Amino acid sequence: MATIVTASHFVSHIHGGGANSVDTTNSNLAQISLRNQPVTHNGLRKVDMIQMMTKNAILTAKKSSRSGTSSGNVIICGTGMNLVFVAAEVGPWSKTGGLGDVLGGLPPAMAANGHRVMTVSPRYDQYKDAWDTSVLVEMKVGDNTETVRFFHCHKRGVDRVFVDHPMFLEKVWGKTKSKVYGPNAGTDYKDNQLRFSLLCQAALEAPRVLNLTNNKYFSGPYGEDVVFIANDWHTALLPCYLKSMYQSKGIYKQAKVAFCIHNIAYQGRFAFSDFSLLNLLDQFKSSFDFMDGYDKPVKGRKINWMKGGILESDRVFTVSPYYAKELVSGDDKGVELSTILRFRTVTGSINGMDTQEWNPATDKYIDCNYDITTVMDAKPLLKEALQAAVGLPVDRSIPVIGFIGRLEEQKGSDILVAAISKFIDLNNVQIIILGTGKKSFEKQIEQLEVLYPDKARGVAKFNVPLAHMITAGADFMLVPSRFEPCGLIQLHAMRYGTIPIVASTGGLVDTVKEGYTGFHMGDFNVECATVDPDDVLKIVTTVGRALAVYGSTPLTLAEMIQNCMSQDLSWKGPAKNWEQLLLSLGAGGSEPGVEGEEIAPLAKENVATP
Ligand SMILES: Nc1ncnc2c1ncn2[C@@H]1O[C@H](COP(=O)(O)OP(=O)(O)O[C@H]2O[C@H](CO)[C@@H](O)[C@H](O)[C@H]2O)[C@@H](O)[C@H]1O
Ligand SMILES: OC[C@H]1O[C@H](O[C@H]2[C@H](O)[C@@H](O)[C@@H](O[C@H]3[C@H](O)[C@@H](O)[C@@H](O)O[C@@H]3CO)O[C@@H]2CO)[C@H](O)[C@@H](O)[C@@H]1O
């Protein structure tokens, strides 16, 4: 267990209000703010004042928040659970893809429903909006004793906690979008196991040592009655440390761990001898023990972090119901963990999307804002702006197909490139691909412009403004994934009235309805080493179907656009679902939340780094 080196309270001039500040303008809220005050020295037991809140009191709290008597626009009130999300990425501070998006969007939606919510992630950069808490904790990482420092800010009702250590900041500084896991795509930092061991230990300390006093609903440390939501392999040690370092000493007795799989393709497989680096008891060895036929990073017997996380946590979740089924369907889709997963129940809960960042009515990256009533007028203008931006002939009558994604085998950009050569000359169409990742795939997409100067562009950059312009300006969004746990690209596209053309896998099955909100291509071969000609044909055929609708039945197209845009794709529904799932874990002090509306925007400018 970690040792607190210095634990000073937050200074009131930073966050406003002293450590035990109680809002007295509303007696209900005053009760709420006492909820998490420590009452014993080491127990940090939650004062169960919340039970005194009647439903009426909750409603009053909500009403006063809505009417603006509370600070800001965030509607939160004190009931529910103490939730601690732990991940290697948290958007917008750090994001290489969808994991960062989920950590950015789901926590505020949970907070809106009255839960007390913290995220813990590395401090990869000098975030302008996160302050030094001056709380330091020492922990054993590998053979050394390391000191971490916690930074913090409170945004959209969520405590955003950043773990500061040179293993994160020194490596990544200024390059958060590309260097979170390694110096380049496909190469991992050699000390990733130590980095994420440190993250897991820090995350277990944060709820106990941070005296957070930044809003009127909650104060004091979170205490011990928490649900940890550990995300992906980087957080797999958390349930083990929880058991061996805390629960064995009577701490966190009623805490629970939910382990969420965002992508089974990344498991954290390392040499078996590395187990000793993790400072885990031998009792955990069998959970991590793993054999595969690959030579990387060493031949034969390995440890597998994802396997450990699956077996040692209280419940296993993933990000769509269909992917949950695929994971246990066989070793190809379960990436050699399907047998292990069959020992556990894997529950899929579909992701939402950030409807503030991705809102055509307010999007600052597009020239003309629109909604469901003005989409048909706006889209041709946005298409022209997009064509001009990437240097394609500007012509609103030409259908434009977009693709956005990490250039890994998962996303099928190689299949798409093969398909383009088959359909592009036969059709009056333009295609724009945006992505970063494997160098060979980046070269493939950059080559498109050379081959088809008037019809195709490939931009090998991580470019958020361009992602928004494509999402708004394209007519169709292609998602030819070999596998896709949930997928956010198709959600963003539908919200912008851009019709998705998707492979029939994972969350794409759950979110896109054939002929109603999009087009399905069928499922693809998950074998990544080659491009299956059948899959190329599936893209060609389905693109043909979509272009026929574009060209011949504009009314059907318009209807599909309306169907896409009229859906509620926000985190609201998914957050309610997550609430039920997390309540079922039965962590100490857990109670249902309330109906809430998460409406506070996050100014991204504040997050800018050096
Ligand atoms: N070059 C670029 N420039 C700008 N933005 C870019 C970009 N490349 C990607 N992005 C952005 O990254 C995000 C990608 O999210 P996805 O969920 O579609 O995929 P990802 O595989 O990363 O996430 C994994 O985790 C999520 C979350 O659970 C699952 O939805 C998904 O299926 C799973 O593979 C989107 O916000 C997209 O706009
Ligand atoms: O948000 C996007 C994804 O981010 C995570 O995936 C990263 C993964 O966890 C890292 O291990 C690393 O993956 C590399 C892998 O370790 C290496 O052996 C090689 O196969 O290359 C991989 C890519 O560089 O980077 C991944 C991000 O690129 C998260 O786990 C996923 O769920 C998210 O989809």
Side-chain angles (χ1 to χ4, degrees):
M1 193 169 67
T3 317
I4 303 170
V5 182
T6 315
S8 62
H9 293 328
F10 276 8
V11 275
S12 55
H13 71 265
I14 293 178
H15 290 284
N20 294 327
S21 68
V22 174
D23 177 75
T24 48
T25 57
N26 178 319
S27 58
N28 297 320
L29 299 182
Q31 289 175 4
I32 300 163
S33 67
L34 284 165
R35 177 173 166 227
N36 283 313
Q37 282 190 354
V39 290
T40 61
H41 174 63
N42 70 349
L44 306 175
R45 190 163 56 81
K46 185 167 86 182
V47 179
D48 225 357
M49 294 296 283
I50 198 64
Q51 277 176 1
M52 293 164 62
M53 284 183 69
T54 60
K55 202 164 182 180
N56 266 350
I58 294 171
L59 290 174
T60 313
K62 282 174 68 183
K63 223 164 126 191
S64 77
S65 298
R66 281 215 178 90
S67 62
T69 46
S70 66
S71 61
N73 287 325
V74 184
I75 295 174
I76 43 173
C77 48
T79 182
M81 296 171 275
N82 290 324
L83 303 177
V84 180
F85 288 83
V86 188
E89 300 179 24
V90 55
W93 294 272
S94 54
K95 164 175 157 173
T96 72
L99 177 62
D101 282 329
V102 172
L103 268 288
L106 175 58
M110 298 302 291
N113 289 343
H115 304 288
R116 194 178 190 195
V117 187
M118 173 192 291
T119 61
V120 184
S121 63
R123 181 172 179 260
Y124 296 112
D125 266 312
Q126 314 252 24
Y127 304 129
K128 280 185 189 163
D129 54 355
W131 296 83
D132 186 355
T133 65
S134 302
V135 176
L136 276 71
V137 170
E138 273 184 355
M139 56 194 59
K140 187 146 186 252
V141 181
D143 294 332
N144 298 322
T145 299
E146 303 291 345
T147 304
V148 304
R149 207 175 176 101
F150 292 99
F151 281 62
H152 169 265
C153 61
H154 188 80
K155 292 277 163 80
R156 290 166 76 176
V158 177
D159 288 308
R160 301 293 189 171
V161 172
F162 301 99
V163 178
D164 183 50
H165 187 277
M167 279 196 269
F168 298 124
L169 190 65
E170 266 179 26
K171 283 197 165 70
V172 183
W173 193 58
K175 299 200 170 106
T176 301
K177 283 172 203 151
S178 55
K179 304 215 167 185
V180 164
Y181 304 101
N184 45 54
T187 317
D188 301 322
Y189 292 122
K190 291 203 168 35
D191 61 352
N192 269 354
Q193 295 191 82
L194 301 179
R195 296 169 86 219
F196 297 127
S197 160
L198 180 137
L199 174 65
C200 292
Q201 293 186 59
L204 284 159
E205 281 298 301
R208 307 178 70 235
V209 301
L210 294 180
N211 194 2
L212 303 173
T213 317
N214 38 65
N215 71 80
K216 62 178 65 172
Y217 305 108
F218 302 111
S219 66
Y222 277 53
E224 296 183 23
D225 287 347
V226 297
V227 182
F228 290 97
I229 301 101
N231 294 278
D232 272 353
W233 74 266
H234 329 101
T235 56
L237 301 185
L238 191 146
C240 310
Y241 292 149
L242 177 70
K243 289 176 205 170
S244 63
M245 297 180 185
Y246 296 90
Q247 290 179 329
S248 62
K249 299 189 173 87
I251 306 167
Y252 278 135
K253 274 255 183 265
Q254 300 198 74
K256 300 284 178 193
V257 183
F259 186 69
C260 183
I261 300 170
H262 294 261
N263 197 338
I264 199 86
Y266 303 123
Q267 297 180 0
R269 297 183 188 183
F270 301 96
F272 189 72
S273 56
D274 287 355
F275 185 80
S276 60
L277 291 177
L278 310 182
N279 296 314
L280 290 176
L281 300 177
D282 274 355
Q283 74 186 61
F284 297 111
K285 217 175 225 172
S286 63
S287 294
F288 285 75
D289 199 345
F290 188 75
M291 276 296 275
D292 66 22
Y294 302 106
D295 292 349
K296 281 188 179 170
V298 288
K299 207 175 165 79
R301 197 173 181 193
K302 296 179 175 67
I303 51 170
N304 183 324
W305 280 48
M306 181 75 95
K307 178 178 172 235
I310 289 167
L311 291 176
E312 294 298 338
S313 54
D314 293 295
R315 280 282 295 278
V316 183
F317 297 99
T318 191
V319 288
S320 72
Y322 199 82
Y323 190 60
K325 281 190 209 145
E326 286 182 329
L327 284 176
V328 293
S329 67
D331 266 348
D332 53 350
K333 299 242 163 108
V335 194
E336 298 172 286
L337 286 181
S338 54
T339 314
I340 297 298
L341 284 162
R342 277 185 222 127
F343 289 129
R344 311 293 321 264
T345 306
V346 188
T347 309
S349 181
I350 202 81
N351 284 336
M353 60 170 280
D354 192 325
T355 48
Q356 291 167 14
E357 182 190 353
W358 294 92
N359 182 356
T362 55
D363 192 321
K364 65 179 181 200
Y365 298 116
I366 58 178
D367 290 340
C368 139
N369 292 116
Y370 62 98
D371 61 19
I372 192 165
T373 63
T374 51
V375 56
M376 300 313 279
D377 294 327
K379 261 196 165 286
L381 300 171
L382 290 162
K383 186 197 290 190
E384 289 175 351
L386 173 64
Q387 290 167 323
V390 297
L392 282 169
V394 175
D395 181 345
R396 61 171 63 189
S397 72
I398 301 174
V400 171
I401 300 175
F403 169 102
I404 303 167
R406 292 178 298 106
L407 299 180
E408 303 282 340
E409 283 81 357
Q410 173 189 353
K411 302 295 176 182
S413 66
D414 50 339
I415 315 173
L416 175 57
V417 167
I420 287 172
S421 67
K422 306 251 185 267
F423 71 70
I424 204 153
D425 288 332
L426 305 175
N427 292 285
N428 187 23
V429 64
Q430 293 176 350
I431 182 140
I432 302 167
I433 298 184
L434 171 66
T436 55
K438 282 206 165 151
K439 283 284 159 272
S440 58
F441 292 158
E442 289 188 355
K443 279 197 189 122
Q444 269 188 343
I445 66 159
E446 284 174 337
Q447 190 61 17
L448 290 171
E449 174 171 359
V450 179
L451 296 171
Y452 315 107
D454 289 341
K455 290 193 159 187
R457 288 290 178 275
V459 182
K461 291 201 172 94
F462 197 95
N463 186 330
V464 172
L466 186 56
H468 283 247
M469 287 177 73
I470 295 173
T471 305
D475 298 292
F476 300 101
M477 187 69 78
L478 246 169
V479 192
S481 304
R482 287 180 167 92
F483 57 95
E484 195 60 75
C486 178
L488 299 173
I489 302 293
Q490 81 282 7
L491 301 184
H492 301 161
M494 288 191 285
R495 178 145 163 86
Y496 280 64
T498 301
I499 297 172
I501 304 172
V502 300
S504 311
T505 182
L508 302 173
V509 173
D510 292 317
T511 56
V512 177
K513 292 194 191 83
E514 165 63 36
Y516 188 74
T517 53
F519 298 94
H520 271 272
M521 298 188 274
D523 68 330
F524 288 8
N525 191 338
V526 289
E527 172 53 56
C528 291
T530 51
V531 169
D532 187 331
D534 285 350
D535 296 339
V536 174
L537 190 61
K538 284 173 190 163
I539 296 184
V540 174
T541 313
T542 319
V543 165
R545 282 202 293 129
L547 294 181
V549 170
Y550 182 93
S552 319
T553 54
L555 280 179
T556 308
L557 189 84
E559 237 174 68
M560 288 179 82
I561 291 173
Q562 296 289 312
N563 297 341
C564 285
M565 291 186 78
S566 56
Q567 302 172 93
D568 179 0
L569 300 169
S570 74
W571 275 108
K572 205 175 156 88
K576 271 285 154 203
N577 197 37
W578 268 105
E579 177 180 300
Q580 290 311 311
L581 298 172
L582 296 176
L583 278 170
S584 73
L585 289 170
S590 289
E591 289 172 38
V594 292
E595 278 295 317
E597 203 74 44
E598 201 272 310
I599 54 173
L602 170 59
K604 288 184 184 287
E605 301 76 51
N606 292 345
V607 205
T609 48

